[in-house]
Amino acid sequence: MSVAKKDYKRITTKTLFDMKTNGTKISMLTAYDYTMAKIVDTAGVDVILVGDSASNVMAGHETTLPITLDQMIYHASSVVRAIERALVVVDLPFGSYQSDPKEALRSAIRIMKESGGHAVKLEGGKEIKDSIKKILNAGIPVMGHLGLTPQSIYKFGTYTVRAKEEEEADQLIEDAKMLEKIGCFALVLEKIPAHLATKVAQSISIPVIGIGAGNGVDGQVLVLHDMLGMTHEFSPRFLRRYMNLYEDMTAAIGQYVADVRAVDFPNENEQY
């Protein structure tokens, strides 16, 4: 018997579990500022990720590592003020949770109190189990992240597909089940073989959100600037560009420059 699809007025962690149960795919995008978050929320995206990818797309760093906890709180605060429907998940940045569960809890508490975010996301499996449990025990929802974990880029040495070999794939499945068992409400799988992602999604009850993980998972996430075509240097196989704002914006700004120089802007109707 088919289950009627529900129109969710406000997304919560329970909503995402219900969506997986009834087969409704979950949409997730990044946002880092008020204006863009307002648009994303109004368009009906279920989850907004205030990602540490802000380090790349907003600040121009090569990796996600340099962004600080204070900067993540700033971006998250801007996003939270904009939303009415979406669930806001905030990345814990590199160095704010890996070394000490108590530090992880302090970092998560700061994000929740100072930004108003609804949940935090941490990269890793068994190696950060104690940090995740500490945060969960404080009543803070946690989203996991396995597969390609960009905060560990210098450990991996490359952004290539993860878990192609049996040993790493088995460990990923084990970590996914562990994250579900200790209480994570959802899981991101990044850049792993589609068949493995499907297997993970079918083997655990919490929603699995994919990025470069095929369509057999419970939802998808992309970086907003990538899918809108604002960035143009980054072109992985999993990225679909829904617009080409890089070219459109460049053309519009170029036209503005030309109009100013030609004293065509402002014209008589555009002045007092």
Side-chain angles (χ1 to χ4, degrees):
M1 184 178 70
S2 62
V3 179
K5 305 301 182 184
K6 183 177 179 181
D7 181 21
Y8 297 101
K9 301 299 183 184
R10 189 67 189 254
I11 305 298
T12 67
T13 56
K14 183 181 183 303
T15 306
L16 300 184
F17 181 82
D18 291 343
M19 291 173 75
K20 171 163 182 157
T21 300
N22 66 31
T24 301
K25 297 295 186 180
I26 299 163
S27 61
M28 180 169 164
L29 284 174
T30 64
Y32 318 100
D33 66 87
Y34 177 89
T35 303
M36 296 293 273
K38 193 76 173 176
I39 296 170
V40 172
D41 186 58
T42 302
V45 166
D46 302 310
V47 183
I48 293 178
L49 173 64
V50 185
D52 57 4
S53 48
S55 181
N56 309 107
V57 299
M58 302 299 286
H61 293 296
E62 184 180 3
T63 71
T64 62
L65 274 61
I67 199 165
T68 67
L69 182 60
D70 285 340
Q71 289 167 338
M72 288 301 302
I73 290 170
Y74 167 80
H75 286 294
S77 300
S78 302
V79 168
V80 168
R81 285 191 287 270
I83 64 96
E84 296 181 4
R85 178 181 178 274
L87 181 79
V88 178
V89 179
V90 186
D91 271 339
L92 280 182
F94 177 74
S96 68
Y97 64 92
Q98 289 94 340
S99 63
D100 177 13
K102 291 182 179 179
E103 182 182 15
L105 177 58
R106 287 192 293 268
S107 300
I109 288 174
R110 281 200 62 199
I111 283 179
M112 300 297 284
K113 285 178 67 70
E114 297 178 37
S115 78
H118 307 138
V120 296
K121 181 167 75 64
L122 287 71
E123 294 183 5
K126 62 180 181 180
E127 68 277 11
I128 60 163
K129 177 181 179 181
D130 290 340
S131 291
I132 294 175
K133 289 177 69 175
K134 194 80 171 176
I135 295 169
L136 288 167
N137 286 341
I140 299 172
V142 174
M143 175 180 280
H145 184 148
L146 298 173
L148 176 64
T149 48
Q151 290 180 11
S152 302
I153 183 56
Y154 290 126
K155 171 186 174 183
F156 293 144
T158 176
Y159 286 105
T160 191
V161 176
R162 304 303 309 173
K164 291 188 292 185
E165 304 300 327
E166 184 177 358
E167 182 178 356
E168 188 178 354
D170 290 343
Q171 183 61 58
L172 187 144
I173 294 171
E174 183 180 326
D175 281 340
K177 291 180 178 180
M178 179 272 295
L179 292 174
E180 175 190 30
K181 183 177 180 180
I182 64 176
C184 289
F185 72 90
L187 171 64
V188 168
L189 292 180
E190 181 168 357
K191 212 167 183 183
I192 68 171
H195 69 87
L196 175 61
T198 300
K199 183 176 180 180
V200 171
Q202 293 174 348
S203 66
I204 60 177
S205 63
I206 61 174
V208 175
I209 312 297
I211 176 167
N215 61 12
V217 291
D218 305 303
Q220 301 293 331
V221 59
L222 286 174
V223 171
L224 181 64
H225 292 60
D226 294 340
M227 62 85 70
L228 291 178
M230 296 176 73
T231 55
H232 65 289
E233 305 93 346
F234 181 66
S235 298
R237 181 188 299 184
F238 64 78
L239 173 60
R240 179 182 297 181
R241 286 194 167 90
Y242 285 81
M243 298 183 73
N244 191 348
L245 282 186
Y246 181 85
E247 289 188 2
D248 292 344
M249 292 172 70
T250 301
I253 293 167
Q255 186 62 56
Y256 165 74
V257 172
D259 290 349
V260 169
R261 289 177 177 169
V263 198
D264 181 62
F265 175 80
N267 59 33
E268 290 185 0
N269 295 325
E270 295 165 333
Q271 54 190 326
Y272 300 97

